[in-house]
């Protein structure tokens, strides 16, 4: 359908976004190296963070109780009440609040005060008896940013990611900050566990009984950002002080859940693909040079990569030439982060005549009128970006399963619990990811024995499970 220069250019970009089998295998090997290093040492820029979470037991499905959970993701702040019924099922009531953009770049007091207010509103509405009786409810706090965790209910912020940048919060204990603001508002809630969304996803799948399809070996997120968690032998986590390991072992503990922070895999770009547009997106982000894997994979960045390429094609005189000068382009196309990845899921599968559905979406979202050819360009670029993103997603998953020998043995099946809007809603994301997994060292045989399942409300249920396991 495309001709001439436009066609050549689009084919060239598609090539830059293609992912080879050779690359996948090399990246898996390098991931294992970085993960192993991260279990041994702290503060090595080449290693993964591999954060010990102090979660040392995996739910059985018999857990019971009513707990609160909150989840500060990259886009929304959810407040949830979870009733664990003790039979692998749960009931859940939730309030979802979009995080105001100015709070992502303000002060920690502003952000945590706002969170405490939202929790207060929720508790008044859903747990009025706790407010009257003064009985404090336990709450699990899912905080999806890198944390230096020192126990189940304390941890200091290492650095921000996604759209967040609140410098005064770095180095502070986020549980203490939240508890301070809850107490100030007299909310009858104790923050009793600090969890990460990936850890929550792992625990939630275990609770709901993923066993039918094999044990849950990984909890992972593909939403605004991307990250994953798995269970590691305590003996391998040698960066944990010997005294702590001995203390845990005396209690019979053998394993601990590790939050890999794989969004930061290969920040030095030893193996990851790198295009001009990846570099532009990194420069625009609040944390240049960090989370470089995440910036090639997750929802916050896919749309922005597409926007960057479209701007370049315009500058090269290949599309949107009705706009004489760049300042005449629709404002939203010129504004960073305004092309939402959600729209790409529509472009990806648009099979309407002349891509009419995409035409409408582009007009609504970006106020951008387009020709059929331009929409074909957009669809092909969308598919190239999403294909690379989902193929890269195969790297950490394959690496962790290989590293922990999860698929060794006769007829073993494993479950990978996944959460986040990209993996849940992007058409074909999981299928493309599986195609890439089959090309790694796991091979088609390994790929067939692994099951990627969505952990609906995983991070909230997981945070509640963490809170339940804590001592009051
Ligand atoms: P959070 O990261 O806050 O937990 P989500 O898991 O909902 O939130 O992820 C939000 C991200 O997912 C945003 O970057 C958004 O652009 C993207 N997103 C939302 N819906 C879709 C969709 N249908 N297809 C692809 N990406 C989506
Ligand atoms: Mg989330």
């Amino acid at each position: 359908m495309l001709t001439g220069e436009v066609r050549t250019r689009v084919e060239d970009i598609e090539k830059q976004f293609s992912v080879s089998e050779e690359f996948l295998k090399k990246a898996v090997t390098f991931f294992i190296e970085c993960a192993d290093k991260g279990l041994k040492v702290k503060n090595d820029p080449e290693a993964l963070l591999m954060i010990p979470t102090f979660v040392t037991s995996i739910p059985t499905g018999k857990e019971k109780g009513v707990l609160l959970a909150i989840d500060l993701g990259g886009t929304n702040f959810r407040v949830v009440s979870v009733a664990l019924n003790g039979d692998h099922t749960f009931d859940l009531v939730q309030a979802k609040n979009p995080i105001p953009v100015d709070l992502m770049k303000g002060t920690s007091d502003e952000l945590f005060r706002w969170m405490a207010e939202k929790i207060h509103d929720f508790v008044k509405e859903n747990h009025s008896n706790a407010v009257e009786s003064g009985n404090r409810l336990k709450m699990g706090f899912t905080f999806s940013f890198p944390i230096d965790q020192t126990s189940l209910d304390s941890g200091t912020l290492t650095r921000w990611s996604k759209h967040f940048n609140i410098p005064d919060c770095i180095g502070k204990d986020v549980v203490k900050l939240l508890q301070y603001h809850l107490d100030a508002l007299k909310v009858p809630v104790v923050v009793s566990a600090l969890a990460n969304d990936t850890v929550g996803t792992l625990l939630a799948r275990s609770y709901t009984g993923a066993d039918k399809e094999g044990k849950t070996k990984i909890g992972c997120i593909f939403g605004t950002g991307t990250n994953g968690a798995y269970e590691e032998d305590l003996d391998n986590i040698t960066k944990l002080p010997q005294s702590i390991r001995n203390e845990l072992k005396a209690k019979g503990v053998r394993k601990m859940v590790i939050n890999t922070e794989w969004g930061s895999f290969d920040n030095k770009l030893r193996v990851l693909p790198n295009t001009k547009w990846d570099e532009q997106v990194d420069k625009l982000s609040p944390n240049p040079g960090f989370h470089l894997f995440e910036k090639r994979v997750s929802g916050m960045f896919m749309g922005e990569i597409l926007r960057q390429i479209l701007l370049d094609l315009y500058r090269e005189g290949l599309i949107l030439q009705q706009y004489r000068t760049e300042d005449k382009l629709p404002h939203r196309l010129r504004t960073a982060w305004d092309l939402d990845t959600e729209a790409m899921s529509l472009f990806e599968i648009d099979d309407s005549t002349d891509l009419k559905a995409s035409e409408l979406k582009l007009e609504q979202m970006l106020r951008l009128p387009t020709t059929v050819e331009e929409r074909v360009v957009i669809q092909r670029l969308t598919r190239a970006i999403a294909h690379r993103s989902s193929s890269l997603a195969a790297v950490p998953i394959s690496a962790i399963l290989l590293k922990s020998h999860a698929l060794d043995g006769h007829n073993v099946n494993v479950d990978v619990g996944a959460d986040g809007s990209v993996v849940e809603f992007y058409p074909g994301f999981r299928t493309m990811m599986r195609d890439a997994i089959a090309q790694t060292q796991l091979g088609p045989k390994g790929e067939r024995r692994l099951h990627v399942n969505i952990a609906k409300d995983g991070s909230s249920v997981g945070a509640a499970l963490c809170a339940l396991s804590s001592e009051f």
Side-chain angles (χ1 to χ4, degrees), residues 44-97:
D44 181 322
E46 293 260 14
L48 283 163
L49 280 177
M50 305 298 276
I51 302 169
T53 62
F54 293 83
V55 173
T56 53
S57 67
I58 296 285
T60 60
K62 300 216 168 71
E63 293 75 9
K64 266 188 180 169
V66 175
L67 301 123
L68 292 181
I70 54 169
D71 178 2
L72 188 76
T75 306
N76 294 300
F77 175 58
R78 297 182 187 86
V79 187
V80 185
S81 170
V82 185
L84 299 166
N85 301 323
D87 57 359
H88 301 282
T89 70
F90 60 85
D91 297 299
L92 186 142
V93 185
Q94 80 160 314
K96 190 165 147 179
N97 312 280

Side-chain angles (χ1 to χ4, degrees), residues 258-324:
I258 293 287
N259 161 17
T260 64
E261 287 295 333
W262 74 38
S264 263
F265 169 52
D266 195 16
N267 279 343
K268 299 269 179 238
L269 297 180
R270 305 267 182 234
V271 297
L272 284 176
N274 194 27
T275 68
K276 171 183 178 195
W277 306 288
D278 293 310
E279 286 177 8
Q280 286 167 352
V281 170
D282 182 41
K283 270 201 209 112
L284 272 178
S285 70
N287 53 356
F290 291 97
H291 292 261
L292 294 192
F293 180 74
E294 176 163 278
K295 286 172 186 166
R296 284 152 178 75
V297 172
S298 70
M300 174 169 164
F301 305 96
M302 293 163 70
E304 181 58 21
I305 294 173
L306 176 60
R307 194 188 70 88
Q308 291 285 345
I309 303 178
L310 293 178
L311 276 183
D312 264 11
L313 294 187
Y314 165 76
R315 288 171 192 147
E316 291 165 19
L318 296 173
I319 57 167
L320 307 173
Q321 292 305 299
Q322 71 271 32
Y323 301 100
R324 295 269 166 98

Side-chain angles (χ1 to χ4, degrees), residues 22-175:
E22 188 196 347
F23 158 79
L24 287 167
K25 292 202 164 86
K26 203 163 97 187
V28 165
T29 305
F30 188 54
F31 189 100
I32 296 176
E33 214 178 282
C34 297
D36 284 340
K37 203 188 275 177
L39 291 173
K40 295 193 184 93
V41 293
K42 272 187 170 181
N43 304 325
D44 181 322
E46 293 260 14
L48 283 163
L49 280 177
M50 305 298 276
I51 302 169
T53 62
F54 293 83
V55 173
T56 53
S57 67
I58 296 285
T60 60
K62 300 216 168 71
E63 293 75 9
K64 266 188 180 169
V66 175
L67 301 123
L68 292 181
I70 54 169
D71 178 2
L72 188 76
T75 306
N76 294 300
F77 175 58
R78 297 182 187 86
V79 187
V80 185
S81 170
V82 185
L84 299 166
N85 301 323
D87 57 359
H88 301 282
T89 70
F90 60 85
D91 297 299
L92 186 142
V93 185
Q94 80 160 314
K96 190 165 147 179
N97 312 280
I99 307 164
V101 179
D102 48 331
L103 288 187
M104 300 182 186
K105 304 231 157 92
T107 65
S108 29
D109 276 336
E110 282 162 3
L111 176 67
F112 284 84
R113 166 91 190 183
W114 176 81
M115 287 164 61
E117 282 166 359
K118 295 291 169 204
I119 298 166
H120 198 190
D121 294 344
F122 184 86
V123 169
K124 276 191 282 189
E125 198 176 326
N126 296 287
H127 292 276
S128 51
N129 45 4
V131 178
E132 281 154 26
S133 70
N135 284 338
R136 300 216 288 174
L137 292 153
K138 278 188 180 192
M139 185 171 80
F141 180 9
T142 300
F143 186 75
S144 309
F145 301 91
I147 282 285
D148 193 0
Q149 198 151 357
T150 38
S151 71
L152 191 59
D153 66 351
S154 64
T156 56
L157 178 66
T158 310
R159 62 173 177 251
W160 288 106
S161 61
K162 298 173 269 196
H163 283 297
F164 280 73
N165 189 14
I166 307 172
D168 85 90
C169 200
I170 309 277
K172 286 191 184 153
D173 185 330
V174 293
V175 173

